[in-house]
Amino acid sequence: MDSFLIKGGVPLCGDVAISGAKNAALPIMAAALLTREPCVIRRVPRLVDVRYMGQILSRLGAQVTWEDDAVRIHAAKIKGVGDYDLIRKMRGSICIMGPLLARLKTARVSLPGGCVIGARPINLHLKGFASLGARITITGGYAQARARQLVGAEVFLGGRAGSTVLGTANVMMAATLAEGITVIESAACEPEIVDLANCLNAMGAKVTGAGSPIITITGVKELHGVEHEVIPDRIEAATYAIAAAATKGEVTLHGARTEHLAAVLDKLQAAGVRTERRGAALVVRRGRRLQPVDITTLPYAGFPTDVQAQMMALLTLVPGISIITERIFESRFMHVSELGRLGADIEIEGPSAIVKGGRPLSGAPVMASDLRASAALVIAGLAARGTTLVNRVYHIDRGYEEIDSKLRGLGARIKRLQES
Ligand code: EPU
């Protein structure tokens, strides 16, 4: 497995282009299963998870071809089974279930199981399909949904931690071809859901209210092909913004959509980081003195769980006590012990991490445990004195397009060591 060798202490300066959003691209690629016609999706980030979704769609029978940052998916004839070996590698692949059910009236998909950040159940997805009239059975590790005809209904998707992003995507996609009207209540409001709804509407679906907690879908007989461009990745943008602040640099993020970043920018500004919108770009600059801030992760438009680890890396550098409370995933603190190896002083108390910041970080070998934790370790390594070796960076390749070369473009001394 590859690793990153980072020589820390260099302020990141310059320009970086934000790629398409992984978490928008994955369900939009799955949406291509809803039509027999070809779909072309642009600004798709070249990432391990995205390639992997392409393989899943191919295995279901779709023709998938790539050209630069575009993927053409032609699902003329497909089968309705998502095998264990396909689904287990990436939990995001569960979003094939809604389109398969809508198109074939039957979908059998391996239960994704838990992962390092938490349990990742799909009960809300299944509840949604059941509300549309599907009969759900779970046998042999597979969830199966079948219906003679999906029928529009009121579907409530609120759970323990608020709504579910991929659950909303799945039910919304299933409902596009249902008979009658579906109203999703307590729907996820994330920009990735709005992007999916825009794509579905361009395919001929009738979806209104996406971006609010109530989404209405009027079923149609069939959907057609589409050309769609994926939104820029707000989590990637937040990661570079935090890296700029952590290294006392100044970075211009091109293509970052500030309206998707309000909660992150609000906390960065409260901590003393300067952010300024310049046309289609966002300039991020470290202020003279940073101050601690308290953060609670929440569903959109709250502070995103996917930026929690990176923000923690920054706050380890800020003198004083910051409290970070994780409300979305119960065990998303795997980065805490690794940040500790770089000298950070962080204690976990229930769902909160108490960061006693201000101690200088010093480079060390560390182990990446999941995608966003890896990004946090890279940020800490860039800010630390000396050399940091981040092992198992395949996690980061799942969600950040060419992160090492983008960082080198900003002056970072980061080298990929390929496993021989
Ligand atoms: N939940 C349930 N039941 C369900 C589904 C979810 O209880 O049926 C709970 C989860 O356990 C969690 C909460 O609801 O506590 C939110 O989970 P959600 O379903 O919203 O997560 P997801 O849709 O599986 C997506 C992103 C994640 C991101 C979360 C939250 C994709 C491919 N993944 O996951 O992204 O953290 O939303 O915003 O879109 C990442 O990119 O690093 C990543 C993990």
Side-chain angles (χ1 to χ4, degrees):
M1 266 172 238
D2 293 0
S3 44
F4 283 157
L5 190 69
I6 302 170
K7 290 201 174 137
V10 182
L12 296 185
C13 288
D15 297 66
V16 64
I18 300 306
S19 301
K22 165 184 82 88
N23 291 348
L26 294 176
I28 288 172
M29 287 173 72
L33 294 171
L34 287 163
T35 175
R36 279 171 223 285
E37 293 182 12
C39 297
V40 177
I41 306 160
R42 301 191 193 284
R43 194 156 58 194
V44 175
R46 281 155 299 175
L47 297 171
V48 171
D49 275 10
V50 167
R51 293 266 164 204
Y52 189 61
M53 179 57 96
Q55 286 168 23
I56 291 176
L57 300 179
S58 305
R59 285 273 287 275
L60 292 171
Q63 278 182 342
V64 179
T65 42
W66 298 90
E67 205 183 300
D68 300 324
D69 71 347
V71 58
R72 183 179 186 274
I73 301 165
H74 190 188
K77 220 172 152 205
I78 50 168
K79 64 166 188 163
V81 181
D83 293 323
Y84 173 68
D85 61 325
L86 294 174
I87 305 297
R88 79 186 157 85
K89 291 195 196 151
M90 180 179 76
R91 271 142 201 96
S93 52
I94 192 65
C95 60
I96 60 173
M97 194 165 182
L100 289 179
L101 177 61
R103 170 106 175 255
L104 306 174
K105 310 284 183 285
T106 174
R108 189 170 132 80
V109 176
S110 168
L111 289 166
C115 73
V116 72
I117 64 173
R120 314 290 300 264
I122 59 160
N123 58 312
L124 295 170
H125 303 229
L126 300 180
K127 175 184 163 188
F129 298 145
S131 304
L132 299 181
R135 205 162 63 83
I136 309 292
T137 46
I138 295 182
T139 44
Y142 280 75
Q144 173 139 12
R146 270 175 200 272
R148 213 169 285 144
Q149 171 65 48
L150 292 177
V151 180
E154 280 187 15
V155 182
F156 182 78
L157 286 184
R160 179 190 59 79
S163 190
T164 159
V165 179
L166 289 176
T168 301
N170 246 337
V171 175
M172 190 161 85
M173 289 192 277
T176 55
L177 296 178
E179 204 176 272
I181 296 176
T182 298
V183 180
I184 304 179
E185 285 167 11
S186 197
C189 302
E190 270 68 3
E192 293 75 18
I193 293 294
V194 178
D195 201 23
L196 173 63
N198 288 340
C199 177
L200 292 171
N201 284 338
M203 294 169 77
K206 292 189 175 156
V207 180
T208 57
S212 82
I214 299 183
I215 300 179
T216 305
I217 305 117
T218 305
V220 295
K221 282 262 174 309
E222 58 182 13
L223 297 180
H224 53 74
V226 72
E227 279 203 36
H228 180 82
E229 188 175 89
V230 172
I231 54 170
D233 195 318
R234 64 194 167 100
I235 308 300
E236 188 197 26
T239 303
Y240 284 104
I242 292 169
T247 58
K248 304 185 183 162
E250 176 169 337
V251 170
T252 303
L253 309 168
H254 293 275
R257 297 262 290 262
T258 44
E259 69 273 27
H260 295 164
L261 286 163
V264 173
L265 297 182
D266 182 65
K267 285 297 175 189
L268 284 174
Q269 285 156 6
V273 178
R274 309 273 164 80
T275 68
E276 188 196 327
R277 196 182 171 142
R278 270 191 218 152
L282 172 70
V283 184
V284 180
R285 182 158 47 89
R286 162 97 167 237
R288 220 176 291 149
R289 263 182 77 86
L290 295 191
Q291 26 212 346
V293 285
D294 294 342
I295 288 169
T296 301
T297 64
L298 290 168
Y300 191 82
F303 193 92
T305 174
D306 290 345
V307 185
Q308 178 256 108
Q310 301 89 311
M311 198 67 178
M312 190 182 295
L314 172 65
L315 292 172
T316 63
L317 304 163
V318 179
I321 293 181
S322 297
I323 300 177
I324 300 180
T325 304
E326 173 57 56
R327 292 274 178 226
I328 308 294
F329 291 110
E330 67 268 27
S331 41
R332 207 172 199 180
F333 279 142
M334 301 295 282
H335 41 285
V336 166
S337 53
E338 296 304 293
L339 287 171
R341 293 177 55 73
L342 298 174
D345 184 353
I346 308 167
E347 257 174 59
I348 298 178
E349 274 193 31
S352 298
I354 296 152
V355 183
K356 294 174 199 155
R359 273 203 212 161
L361 300 182
S362 69
V366 287
M367 188 73 83
S369 57
D370 76 85
L371 168 55
R372 309 303 172 187
S374 319
L377 295 175
V378 168
I379 291 170
L382 291 168
R385 275 195 222 128
T387 302
T388 295
L389 182 70
V390 183
N391 288 298
R392 293 164 69 97
V393 295
Y394 75 90
H395 287 294
I396 214 163
D397 293 332
R398 296 181 52 188
Y400 289 93
E401 193 173 47
E402 295 175 356
I403 188 168
D404 41 338
S405 64
K406 283 191 184 185
L407 285 171
R408 270 193 300 277
L410 296 171
R413 288 187 290 174
I414 178 168
K415 201 163 129 187
R416 179 182 288 263
L417 305 180
Q418 270 163 347
E419 197 183 42
S420 50

